[in-house]
Amino acid sequence: MSVERPPGGQPDQRRPYLMLPPALRQAAAWSAAVILLIAVASLVVFALVELRAATVPLVLALLGASLLYPVVPWLVRRGVSRSLAAGLTCAVLVVAVGGVIALLVNSLVHSAPQIATSLQESGQRLSEWLGPVGAKIRHGLDNAKGETNSLVSTLTNGVLSGLGLLTQLVTGGVLALALVFFFLRDGHRTGDAIRSYLPGRSAETVIACAERAFEAMAGFMRGTTLIALIDAGFITIGLVALGVPGAPGLGALVFMGAYIPFVGAFLSGTAAVLVALADGGLGTALWVLGVVLTVQMIEGNILQPVIQSRTVELHPATVMVAVVAGSGIAGIIGALLAVPVCAAGMGVVSVLRGRAGARG
């Protein structure tokens, strides 16, 4: 094989990749980096999903600890030991979560038959008004009634999907509660632990990232919980005033839906409007739609800017992509956890960018 000779007569001794144009070399390098990043991220996500029995309680514990962490220093300043303060906080958490779950389940169990029947009736009306399109909507609502009745029957019988799933839920709840206790008791030592394993500059970067991520999750949990209570309260009051059946159950749906941005509010609001359409006709449905839209406008323009921490300000497109990706990876749990995890990740990125800019 003859070696190509440049015009000067000497053979080209450069490495093959140096013979490519600079722009093409840069594109190839970036492509390789992106492919490697996607591969690593995919492996990490796969590992987290496969180990969800541990990762989901861990994330839930972090969210719970971020919500309750200010309580422990407040108790410590009043002479309570840190272990006792963490234990008392966890006890209050168990009572509060148990009470909320009992209230929500009770509301849904008693209201679900009314809601399901109303959804079927609204489907019949829509099929009469909209023709073929309405028939498809009616078919979907009929299926929703069957699924709702099946879910209610399952809940009332005390078996969700068998003893195995129930055992996993109990085990995950106990693990999450134990982790919340340790996070509350020993969270103040995290910085010292990181400094003992990493050199000075790297340790400070990791600590700053951890603090930023924790602040983001705390802002999400506190803001979303308060907003969910306000939204559910006002919408429930409006439904009761309009005489819509199953108002407590619809209010419970609004409260739970608040933790899934956009999707949750849309689904819970649509259910309320359809129930009102079936029970009170088009006029009542329009009034309910007005109540739901008014509450959502107040939330978006007043509650979110005032209540929600600035540490979780995310672009709506980012939130929607995170919810869809989370639901695709881990179902309803993924949709619930997607936004706080995304907010924490964006907080870490902001810290890293700031430090990189400072070095530059």
Side-chain angles (χ1 to χ4, degrees), residues 251-267:
L253 288 176
V254 171
F255 178 81
M256 293 187 295
Y259 288 92
I260 306 178
F262 302 115
V263 177
F266 173 77
L267 293 178

Side-chain angles (χ1 to χ4, degrees), residues 4-356:
E4 181 181 355
R5 295 176 180 273
Q10 296 295 326
D12 195 337
Q13 301 295 333
R14 294 179 299 172
R15 296 180 180 179
Y17 70 88
L18 293 176
M19 300 173 64
L20 298 174
L24 187 58
R25 293 203 304 269
Q26 292 179 0
W30 276 106
S31 300
V34 170
I35 292 173
L36 180 61
L37 180 62
I38 293 175
V40 172
S42 301
L43 289 175
V44 171
V45 171
F46 175 78
L48 293 176
V49 173
E50 288 298 310
L51 299 174
R52 57 186 174 274
T55 56
V56 171
L58 175 62
V59 177
L60 291 175
L62 286 171
L63 293 176
S66 66
L67 178 64
L68 300 171
Y69 192 78
V71 177
V72 175
W74 183 83
L75 291 174
V76 170
R77 287 194 296 268
R78 282 153 180 79
V80 181
S81 67
R82 199 166 189 93
S83 296
L84 181 58
L88 291 174
T89 305
C90 289
V92 173
L93 175 64
V94 170
V95 173
V97 171
V100 170
I101 291 177
L103 179 62
L104 293 178
V105 171
N106 182 68
S107 299
L108 290 175
V109 167
H110 286 84
S111 304
Q114 292 177 300
I115 295 173
T117 302
S118 298
L119 288 177
Q120 187 182 30
E121 294 176 1
S122 64
Q124 293 175 351
R125 294 195 180 190
L126 289 175
S127 65
E128 295 173 359
W129 295 345
L130 302 178
V133 176
K136 294 181 179 180
I137 297 175
R138 177 184 176 182
H139 177 70
L141 294 176
D142 288 343
N143 292 338
K145 178 187 177 182
E147 293 174 1
T148 304
N149 289 336
S150 175
L151 177 59
V152 172
S153 176
T154 301
L155 289 173
T156 54
N157 290 331
V159 180
L160 192 58
S161 290
L163 185 59
L165 179 56
L166 182 61
T167 303
Q168 290 181 10
L169 292 175
V170 172
T171 304
V174 172
L175 176 59
L177 182 62
L179 290 174
V180 169
F181 172 79
F182 290 122
F183 289 156
L184 293 176
R185 190 190 68 177
D186 303 325
H188 64 294
R189 302 175 183 172
T190 303
D192 295 334
I194 294 174
R195 293 186 183 95
S196 66
Y197 287 102
L198 296 176
R201 190 166 185 176
S202 299
E204 296 305 320
T205 300
V206 173
I207 292 172
C209 291
E211 290 177 348
R212 183 70 171 177
F214 194 77
E215 290 173 0
M217 288 191 292
F220 172 82
M221 287 299 297
R222 294 168 193 162
T224 302
T225 301
L226 183 55
I227 290 172
L229 287 172
I230 295 174
D231 284 359
F234 279 112
I235 290 178
T236 302
I237 292 172
L239 295 177
V240 171
L242 293 170
V244 178
L250 292 171
L253 288 176
V254 171
F255 178 81
M256 293 187 295
Y259 288 92
I260 306 178
F262 302 115
V263 177
F266 173 77
L267 293 178
S268 59
T270 301
V273 172
L274 290 175
V275 171
L277 175 64
D279 183 75
L282 183 60
T284 304
L286 291 177
W287 275 106
V288 171
L289 179 61
V291 170
V292 172
L293 292 179
T294 301
V295 172
Q296 294 298 327
M297 290 177 61
I298 293 174
E299 174 193 334
N301 295 298
I302 299 177
L303 297 181
Q304 287 282 359
V306 173
I307 296 176
Q308 194 71 286
S309 172
R310 297 186 62 84
T311 56
V312 290
E313 281 191 355
L314 298 173
H315 193 277
T318 303
V319 173
M320 287 188 286
V321 171
V323 170
V324 173
S327 62
I329 293 172
I332 186 66
I333 294 295
L336 289 169
L337 300 180
V339 178
V341 171
C342 183
M346 295 298 291
V348 171
V349 170
S350 67
V351 171
L352 295 177
R353 288 182 60 186
R355 291 181 175 260

